[in-house]
């Protein structure tokens, strides 16, 4: 069942109006879809953060825009202020609950590998999996059991259990977890130290800050 999030239409798209929306504790947003014209809206910052935290990044949201029929959406993209760590913009995509879609799902590793008891080191080269499923069948997270992995073992996408409700679309030979010997880690760290470039004393930083995107 979709969680409800109330939204307000935005008619004034000037920067001053957008700034005021943020000062009022709301997030300037846009809702759009395959057969839907983009619509400027705003949603409450706290309610949006709470929804994503409680329901997950790929949750189905019933977006209740004033005077309009609620629509099922997913949070497609969002922007944050790097200094304040606050949401400053969000994009919502209208979904068809009967059509499959491609999304990224967080990947977590569970358990202590057998190889770790022999000082092996667990490495996770992939933290998200590309998944195809109907919106209601998208998992919040995919958890992989690594307790039986020994030193030298590599777990790939092809090794993951098949699911009935979704399909993992990553390449089958993509590694998701591996156990490397402790001496291998020492070699990697030594190579990293040798490859590190010496710091230039007195060098000036000529880089310029990227201009803030205007809406």
């Amino acid at each position: 069942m979709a969680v409800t999030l109330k939204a307000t239409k935005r008619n004034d798209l000037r920067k001053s109006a957008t700034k005021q929306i943020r000062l009022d504790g709301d997030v300037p947003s846009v809702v759009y879809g395959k057969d839907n014209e983009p619509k400027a809206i705003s949603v409450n910052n706290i309610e949006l953060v709470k929804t994503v935290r409680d329901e997950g990044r790929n949750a189905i949201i019933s977006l209740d825009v004033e005077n309009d029929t609620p629509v099922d959406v997913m949070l497609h993209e969002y922007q944050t202020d790097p200094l304040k760590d606050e949401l400053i913009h969000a994009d919502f995509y209208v979904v068809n609950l009967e059509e499959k879609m491609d999304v990224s799902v967080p990947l977590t590793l569970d358990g202590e590998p057998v190889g770790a008891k022999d000082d092996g080191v667990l490495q996770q080269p992939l933290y998200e999996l590309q998944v195809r499923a109907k919106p209601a069948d998208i998992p919040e997270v995919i958890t992989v059991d690594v307790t039986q992995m020994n030193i030298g073992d590599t777990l790939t996408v092809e090794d993951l259990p098949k699911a009935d409700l979704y399909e993992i679309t990553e390449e089958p030979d993509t590694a998701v977890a591996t156990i490397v010997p402790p001496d291998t880690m020492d070699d990697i760290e030594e190579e990293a130290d040798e490859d590190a470039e010496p710091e230039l004393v007195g060098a000036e930083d000529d880089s310029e800050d990227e201009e803030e995107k205007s809406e």
Side-chain angles (χ1 to χ4, degrees):
M1 183 177 179
V3 59
T4 298
L5 181 66
K6 292 187 177 297
T8 302
K9 293 179 182 179
R10 284 194 295 143
N11 297 316
D12 188 347
L13 303 182
R14 292 176 300 176
K15 292 187 67 174
S16 58
T18 301
K19 182 178 180 180
Q20 187 60 50
I21 287 174
R22 296 188 179 111
L23 291 174
D24 292 339
D26 291 338
V27 182
S29 309
V30 174
V31 56
Y32 59 94
K34 183 178 179 181
D35 300 315
N36 295 265
E37 290 293 327
K39 182 184 300 182
I41 61 171
S42 63
V43 297
N44 183 266
N45 195 326
I46 295 176
E47 290 300 319
L48 176 57
V49 172
K50 183 178 184 299
T51 298
V52 175
R53 184 188 64 224
D54 295 346
E55 306 296 332
R57 175 70 171 77
N58 294 316
I60 301 173
I61 299 171
S62 178
L63 194 64
D64 186 3
V65 185
E66 55 181 336
N67 300 324
D68 286 347
T69 302
V71 291
D72 291 322
V73 302
M74 292 177 62
L75 179 62
H76 183 59
E77 291 181 347
Y78 62 90
Q79 299 173 12
T80 58
D81 184 322
L83 298 179
K84 299 180 180 179
D85 195 26
E86 295 177 350
L87 286 173
I88 58 174
H89 187 84
D91 286 352
F92 296 95
Y93 186 78
V94 180
V95 297
N96 184 334
L97 298 182
E98 297 305 317
E99 290 185 0
K100 292 184 178 181
M101 59 187 302
D102 295 329
V103 296
S104 297
V105 176
L107 170 69
T108 63
L109 306 182
D110 182 55
E112 181 181 3
V114 174
K117 299 176 182 178
D118 297 323
D119 296 328
V121 179
L122 174 65
Q123 291 189 326
Q124 181 178 352
L126 198 65
Y127 287 88
E128 287 187 333
L129 290 172
Q130 294 299 311
V131 166
R132 179 172 298 142
K134 292 182 179 179
D137 296 333
I138 297 172
E140 182 177 340
V141 64
I142 295 177
T143 302
V144 179
D145 183 8
V146 296
T147 54
Q148 300 303 313
M149 293 185 67
N150 287 289
I151 292 178
D153 287 350
T154 296
L155 194 68
T156 66
V157 168
E158 190 175 23
D159 300 320
L160 301 182
K162 299 297 184 291
D164 295 330
L165 298 179
Y166 62 85
E167 172 191 2
I168 298 175
T169 59
E170 300 280 356
E171 290 296 328
D173 59 352
T174 301
V176 298
T178 184
I179 305 291
V180 299
D183 55 344
T184 301
M185 289 301 299
D186 292 339
D187 293 340
I188 293 175
E189 292 175 357
E190 289 178 4
E191 290 178 3
D193 291 339
E194 292 174 359
D195 293 340
E197 296 182 0
E199 183 178 354
L200 297 179
V201 178
E204 295 182 357
D205 186 359
D206 296 329
S207 62
E208 295 181 357
D209 293 335
E210 187 177 284
E211 293 184 359
E212 182 179 356
K213 294 181 180 179
S214 61
E215 297 189 358

